[in-house]
Amino acid sequence: MMKDVALMMVSLLCASEAYINVAPPRQSKPPRRISTRLNVNERAEGAPFDENSSSEHDGDESASFAQSLSQRIAEVEQSESSFVAGLQKRVKSVAKAEEFDTSISANNGDHVVELPVICLDALLPNQRMTGSTTDPTFCNFLRSMGLGGTFMMTSLNNRQRKIRRFGVVARIELVDVDGSDANEESNEEYSILSTPTAVSFSIVGTRRCEVLGSGKDMKDRIGRWRRSYDPDGEESRLGWGDERFVDKSDEVADEAVSQSNSDDTWSSNKVSIIDEASEDDATTDAIAKATYLIPLIERWISLASDQTTYDNVDVVAGTRRKSGEPGLSVNASALLRKVQQELGPMPPPGRPTAFAVWGAALVNPLPALGVATEVRGAVLEAEGAERKLAILERGLVRSINNLDGKRPLNM
């Protein structure tokens, strides 16, 4: 009997355990959701996670990103627009310069134009002047004229202390402005506050020309470097004012004197472009003289290009590394090759005027070599091909004697 009771209790216990084992487990809470954004570390460590605040934070960031992106797109579009506008302006300037050159070339006779005139250097056709300036007036002038801008460049006759009537039409082929915050698209006058700190430039001579005006005691308003234009009077600065010109034998009816009260504001003058075809008087004597000069030019090139020429310390050269010591600070051979490439081939003796101008540009090259006396201004002023050739001959002979070491330029 007792055995039966024990068996019954074991059965009940097993049934109870089976019931417990098959009972459904308690439901656990769903796992806490975490953010998968890269900026999850922005939440303070240990702070409770708030799903609503995270959504608001994400929305704010999205709005901020969209605003930043829109601003950047606007900046890029403005930059591209400025670049395109600047490029279009330069293309128009170059096209205008080419149109100016074409109109002159197409004219069979003398062509009268109005151009600003600056007394700077006896630049000749195809000569290239490169450099930089910090002169505020010249900086503004170059920037205002812009790429392709043209003006007349002339020089000073040192003997008479007057301005030469003859020069060249100079074209601006490079203007690199530093330190300027001015709007390049504006055509208004530039104020002193927008003056660039420096301007690098490249200017090339194109056609020979002459300032028109009275043949005697002529005065005209042009640009010239004078100490009086410096408010402190310490250095020469570019300014505009009336200057006296070299007299000429033939009276010219046209006279252009521009009026202005400011010495830093430029004005235009009447300039006659010289027609080289009609001017080149190819007389028998002129052709013979040009032919005679060809061996002299070849001799000059040979001596001036040879670096050993300058081992002789008696040879005067403005580009010596140090006075009284052999050697130059430039490669004379490379310089003259570059100059000849820019000047183009030697004109034939049948064009004696062009021949003389080309020869003067060769013996007085830019950049300067400093082995010959200055003949460019005199060649520009001389009347007739024969006189121009005579000036070139004197310059060649004297320079050859210097390069040979026979007679230095300072003797």
Side-chain angles (χ1 to χ4, degrees):
M1 182 69 180
M2 293 295 294
K3 184 177 180 180
D4 293 336
V5 173
L7 290 172
M8 185 180 295
M9 291 179 66
V10 171
S11 298
L12 290 173
L13 181 61
C14 291
S16 176
E17 290 178 353
Y19 175 77
I20 293 173
N21 289 336
V22 298
R26 288 186 308 169
Q27 288 187 345
S28 60
K29 292 182 180 180
R32 187 176 64 181
R33 185 174 62 182
I34 62 175
S35 172
T36 57
R37 293 179 62 87
L38 294 178
N39 59 350
V40 292
N41 289 330
E42 293 179 0
R43 184 165 56 90
E45 185 177 357
F49 185 84
D50 187 339
E51 185 175 307
N52 293 330
S53 66
S54 175
S55 299
E56 293 175 0
H57 182 68
D58 292 348
D60 292 342
E61 286 190 347
S62 298
S64 177
F65 174 75
Q67 183 179 2
S68 177
L69 181 60
S70 299
Q71 183 178 356
R72 179 57 182 159
I73 291 174
E75 290 175 354
V76 171
E77 289 178 346
Q78 183 178 3
S79 176
E80 291 179 349
S81 176
S82 300
F83 172 76
V84 172
L87 186 61
Q88 289 175 341
K89 182 180 178 181
R90 284 162 174 76
V91 170
K92 289 180 181 179
S93 298
V94 173
K96 186 177 180 180
E98 291 180 350
E99 182 181 352
F100 177 81
D101 292 341
T102 302
S103 66
I104 294 176
S105 300
N107 195 294
N108 294 326
D110 290 346
H111 192 78
V112 177
V113 296
E114 290 191 2
L115 294 173
V117 179
I118 294 182
C119 177
L120 178 57
D121 181 73
L123 194 70
L124 293 179
N126 297 321
Q127 281 197 309
R128 185 178 303 274
M129 175 186 290
T130 59
S132 62
T133 179
T134 57
D135 184 284
T137 304
F138 198 36
C139 285
N140 277 336
F141 176 80
L142 291 171
R143 182 177 59 178
S144 179
M145 297 298 291
L147 185 67
T150 53
F151 63 97
M152 176 181 174
M153 186 184 297
T154 186
S155 55
L156 179 69
N157 184 313
N158 289 310
R159 287 187 177 182
Q160 300 189 33
R161 307 304 300 172
K162 295 180 181 179
I163 308 299
R164 290 190 171 99
R165 295 172 180 265
F166 295 91
V168 295
V169 176
R171 183 174 63 240
I172 302 171
E173 294 200 339
L174 170 68
V175 182
D176 187 5
V177 180
D178 299 327
S180 172
D181 57 358
N183 183 3
E184 291 186 357
E185 299 180 30
S186 174
N187 290 324
E188 300 177 358
E189 292 291 335
Y190 297 105
S191 67
I192 190 65
L193 295 178
S194 65
T195 299
T197 56
V199 172
S200 298
F201 60 85
S202 178
I203 300 172
V204 63
T206 59
R207 301 285 296 272
R208 288 183 296 122
C209 58
E210 175 187 5
V211 180
L212 294 179
S214 173
K216 301 289 184 182
D217 301 323
M218 172 184 164
K219 282 189 176 183
D220 211 343
R221 188 173 186 275
I222 68 167
R224 182 181 175 185
W225 271 260
R226 284 186 176 277
R227 185 168 295 181
S228 59
Y229 293 133
D230 181 10
D232 299 325
E234 295 179 353
E235 59 182 4
S236 294
R237 280 180 47 171
L238 177 63
W240 259 257
D242 287 344
E243 297 287 347
R244 295 188 304 159
F245 282 76
V246 174
D247 291 340
K248 62 179 298 184
S249 56
D250 298 328
E251 188 76 17
V252 179
D254 295 307
E255 183 172 0
V257 180
S258 303
Q259 300 296 326
S260 178
N261 295 325
S262 175
D263 58 21
D264 60 358
T265 303
W266 53 92
S267 52
S268 296
N269 310 73
K270 285 187 178 181
V271 174
S272 175
I273 310 300
I274 296 175
D275 180 26
E276 297 180 355
S278 61
E279 181 206 41
D280 222 340
D281 48 345
T283 63
T284 303
D285 290 341
I287 294 174
K289 175 64 72 174
T291 304
Y292 166 77
L293 292 180
I294 292 178
L296 289 180
I297 290 177
E298 293 174 346
R299 173 64 175 162
W300 184 89
I301 293 174
S302 176
L303 287 170
S305 300
D306 190 350
Q307 289 293 121
T308 62
T309 297
Y310 308 100
D311 291 339
N312 184 350
V313 295
D314 291 331
V315 175
V316 174
T319 50
R320 281 200 179 277
R321 285 193 295 264
K322 190 174 181 181
S323 179
E325 294 186 3
L328 302 180
S329 60
V330 298
N331 186 323
S333 179
L335 187 152
L336 290 177
R337 282 198 305 270
K338 180 176 179 293
V339 167
Q340 287 179 272
Q341 183 178 7
E342 292 174 348
L343 295 180
M346 179 193 297
R351 298 175 55 206
T353 299
F355 183 97
V357 173
W358 184 91
L362 178 67
V363 298
N364 294 146
L366 291 179
L369 188 56
V371 297
T373 55
E374 180 62 70
V375 298
R376 294 176 301 161
V379 168
L380 281 169
E381 282 186 311
E383 295 183 8
E386 291 185 45
R387 292 185 64 181
K388 293 181 187 297
L389 289 168
I391 294 170
L392 174 61
E393 180 183 8
R394 288 197 298 271
L396 278 169
V397 171
R398 192 169 180 189
S399 182
I400 289 173
N401 288 336
N402 172 53
L403 294 169
D404 268 337
K406 296 177 181 178
R407 185 182 178 188
L409 291 178
N410 53 6
M411 290 184 62

